[in-house]
Amino acid sequence: MTTAAATAGGRTTKAKPATMAQALGRALRDSMAEDSTVHVLGEDVGTLGGVFRITDGLAKEFGDDRCTDTPLAEAGILGAAVGMAMYGLRPVVEMQFDAFAYPAFEQLMSHVAKMRNRTGGAMPLPITVRVPYGGGIGGVEHHSDSSEAYYMATPGLHVVTPATVEDAYGLLRASIASDDPVVFLEPKRLYWSKADWSPEAPAAVESIGRAVVRRSGRSATLITYGPSLPVCMEAAEAAVAEGWDLEVVDLRSLVPFDDETVAASVRRTGRAVVVHESPGFGGPGGEIAARITERCFHHLEAPVLRVAGFDIPYPPPMLERHHLPGVDRVLDAVARLQWEADS
Amino acid sequence: MTVQELPGAAAYRPTPPPAWKPITDPAPLLPDPEPYRVLGTDAVADADPELLLRLHAELVRGRRYNAQATALTKQGRLAVYPSSTGQEACEVAAALVLEERDWLFPSYRDTLAAVARGLDPVEALTLLRGDRHTGYDPREHRIAPLCTPLATQLPHAVGLAHAARLKGDDVVALAMVGDGGTSEGDFHEALNFAAVWKAPVVFLVQNNGFAISVPLAKQTAAPSLAHKAVGYGMPGRLVDGNDAAAVHQVLGDAVARARRGEGPTLVEAVTYRMDAHTNADDATRYRVDSEVEAWKAHDPVRLLERELLERGLLDETGVERAKEAAERMAAALRDRMNADPELAPMDLFAHVYAEQTDQLRAQAAALRAELDAEQDHDEHGTEAGR
């Protein structure tokens, strides 16, 4: 999962531990340095550097006009970004928290997602909307939502979410470079996750929309993304003791959805569990399970199972550990994959 | 230690909050107590006769355009038409105050403004015909797509004007909204952003009395819609929206102000929607005839025409000429709209993303197969019938 060293122009640079937050900040910085049309705007992104410090230093390096503290109004921020993109800029909007992005929904649904389509391709909007999402950081009410189902149900948007430090950089660079609007979901409980990663030679992701197999296995496939990837990796290691060799697929983007990688894995293993924090009912897992069934029915040894957040409003932080899918729940699901059929 | 025991407690006296100072002096921002007028006042002497004649020709054309578009709904050639009959002065003036490089942000009721700016009426009407959401390239004409979700185009105008200013371009954005739209959150956010950023934007509110059926009194308790500007720190201007010369002057001043880098202006034009909300609406359910009659006596075309005739700038021949030009426009529009638009079902998938996803490719192939089967069926069906 991590690269100990990366090669840049034939020269080997030492990789040092870096956090996902640092990689995201570096991606913003490099995008702004390379392309003068990239503008960052949002609440507290300037002087403060964002409440998660992702934009730290950008206003100082590029000036207030390139990294702008806006009035506190999410629809206004995204609406203004639409106008800026109409004029040829490439805005990167920061929504402070998942649940604070809801006031911007009308702009996102009615304009950002549709502008390319409703102008017959004449006016695409290259806007990246960064949204810190998910729980697990002890946030009080309205700070821990998993809102990906809303976004992925909206044609015209790309929905991208990194789970590793390297992907945080590569996927954000690719999202900003995309001529389509991207909702870039940042798993906030992984902001401080670390990996050996070389900012001098960061591997760029060439295009968004490809899943990756994080762990190869033969028994069953865990399909996941963002904050639940570490949970699945841990579960896969724990499963070895039970005699299961689990494959783990990191989707990296929910839209476009990589049917090919997912179906290929499930055809190999014959069993699948989808894992995410978002509530299960109407959540991404239902769509993914349906897609697997449509493509892999004759390879399946068991129904596709989902391990998801409960269908409840996000709980108070002192109770969130009961809500979030953890290693045990993933292993319980794996145990329910009708292994008796094999014996 | 109690408060009384704190050091210096004896000398302590209440003072104003230390950080407070007034941000903006509200007095110069306040609108006139009554809508500004030019026609029938002394101000008309300063008006450019050529401009007045141009406005007249456009008003006559605009009135005819509204009538023709409404007729097209009855003939089934438009799915729906939200008429701007009675509001032509606002529509036309908004178009004429802009330079070519400037941007117009119309709402769904403002196709006339787009047409007065030079857009082909057939392209302006595709949304309402139902064949294409936007019938023109917004960048080519610098006219944003007609916006249906109320007031959501206003922050776009602010962002575009802001971006132009950052690039050092001399571009002004004029955004149009109705009285009902001023209650939307996006109206508030757009005006606030515009004022904070000093963006070169002009907001034109056409107060036509009704948001579909809801009168202004149920929409706001503000002294006037123009007064709302003061809360944002921008000037509010109140103008007679049926006085084309006045609307042109007030909007022109606001555009010039924006161009000078002095920031946005909110203009409230007091006007009246002579027709129902759309052809599908019944205005008799919520307003009385006497009100409509009073506004008929204050018709924007008549107001300007009378002024021009009285001042000898226009004669009956000139009036006829303007009418004939409008008739020609209407006849051409009718003929062109009577042709069925060409539909391209496969284009449904063409502009969702820059690059089609695997899923959309598969869905496009499925639709292609359906279309082929339909065509096959039609051809063979015809042959079998012979």
Side-chain angles (χ1 to χ4, degrees), chain A residues 65 73 75-77 79-80 83-87 89 106-107 111 116-118 120-122 156-158 180 255 257 259 291, chain B residues 103 105 133-134 137 139 144-147 149 152 155-156 159-160 163-164 166-167 169 171 186 189 192-193 351 353-354 359:
Chain A
D65 285 343
I77 297 169
M84 292 166 77
M86 286 170 77
Y87 203 74
L89 299 184
E106 186 176 25
Q107 286 294 338
H111 294 297
R116 174 188 286 280
N117 184 260
R118 64 199 279 258
L157 299 176
H158 286 317
D180 283 318
V255 184
F257 187 81
D259 279 312
R291 304 191 76 82
Chain B
W103 273 73
F105 286 78
H133 294 319
T134 305
D137 180 344
R139 286 200 173 111
L146 298 164
C147 189
T152 57
H156 305 169
L160 183 134
L166 290 181
K167 282 193 178 180
D169 296 347
V171 169
D186 278 33
E189 297 190 20
N192 189 43
F193 271 64
H351 305 295
Y353 298 103
Q359 290 76 20

Side-chain angles (χ1 to χ4, degrees), chain B residues 185-343:
Chain B
D186 278 33
F187 173 85
H188 160 68
E189 297 190 20
L191 266 72
N192 189 43
F193 271 64
V196 170
W197 283 352
K198 267 196 158 187
V201 191
V202 176
F203 299 100
L204 169 59
V205 178
Q206 290 185 66
N207 171 7
N208 68 10
F210 292 91
I212 301 189
S213 67
V214 177
L216 188 68
K218 290 185 183 174
Q219 205 66 247
T220 183
S224 76
L225 295 174
H227 275 85
K228 293 193 173 201
V230 182
Y232 300 105
M234 74 174 78
R237 294 290 171 251
L238 190 59
V239 62
D240 180 345
N242 286 15
D243 178 337
V247 181
H248 189 279
Q249 190 187 321
V250 168
L251 287 178
D253 289 350
V255 168
R257 185 173 179 276
R259 233 184 261 299
R260 288 194 303 270
E262 293 170 24
T265 304
L266 172 66
V267 176
E268 177 190 356
V270 181
T271 180
Y272 196 77
R273 198 190 71 209
M274 296 307 292
D275 290 340
H277 166 62
T278 68
N279 52 295
D281 177 38
D282 175 9
T284 62
R285 292 176 68 95
Y286 50 82
R287 67 187 191 190
V288 292
D289 287 348
S290 58
E291 186 181 277
V292 181
E293 290 306 313
W295 278 95
K296 267 188 191 161
H298 195 65
D299 180 82
V301 187
R302 275 182 61 193
L303 280 181
L304 183 57
E305 205 164 277
R306 173 180 289 257
E307 183 79 45
L308 290 171
L309 288 169
E310 276 179 11
R311 295 182 61 206
L313 290 168
L314 191 70
D315 55 15
E316 290 303 331
T317 323
V319 173
E320 275 315 304
R321 234 191 339 261
K323 274 189 182 160
E324 282 163 16
E327 265 330 301
R328 281 195 297 278
M329 177 277 303
L333 176 58
R334 187 176 55 232
D335 289 349
R336 291 173 66 203
M337 293 296 281
N338 274 333
D340 288 334
E342 280 199 25
L343 300 174

Side-chain angles (χ1 to χ4, degrees), chain B residues 99-151:
Chain B
E99 300 289 337
E100 246 189 68
R101 60 186 181 277
D102 296 331
W103 273 73
L104 179 73
F105 286 78
S107 83
Y108 59 88
R109 196 180 297 285
D110 303 316
T111 56
L112 175 55
V115 169
R117 229 198 151 192
L119 188 66
D120 177 352
V122 174
E123 290 184 16
L125 287 168
T126 62
L127 169 79
L128 302 166
R129 178 159 65 174
D131 56 320
R132 287 159 76 191
H133 294 319
T134 305
Y136 52 92
D137 180 344
R139 286 200 173 111
E140 186 191 332
H141 298 278
R142 284 153 315 280
I143 301 173
L146 298 164
C147 189
T148 305
L150 292 181

Side-chain angles (χ1 to χ4, degrees), chain A residues 22 32 34 76-77 119 143 180 185 200 256 267 278 289 310:
Chain A
Q22 287 169 328
M32 292 175 84
E34 251 174 45
I77 297 169
T119 60
H143 289 76
D180 283 318
L185 298 168
E200 280 73 36
R267 284 192 197 111
S278 165
F310 295 131

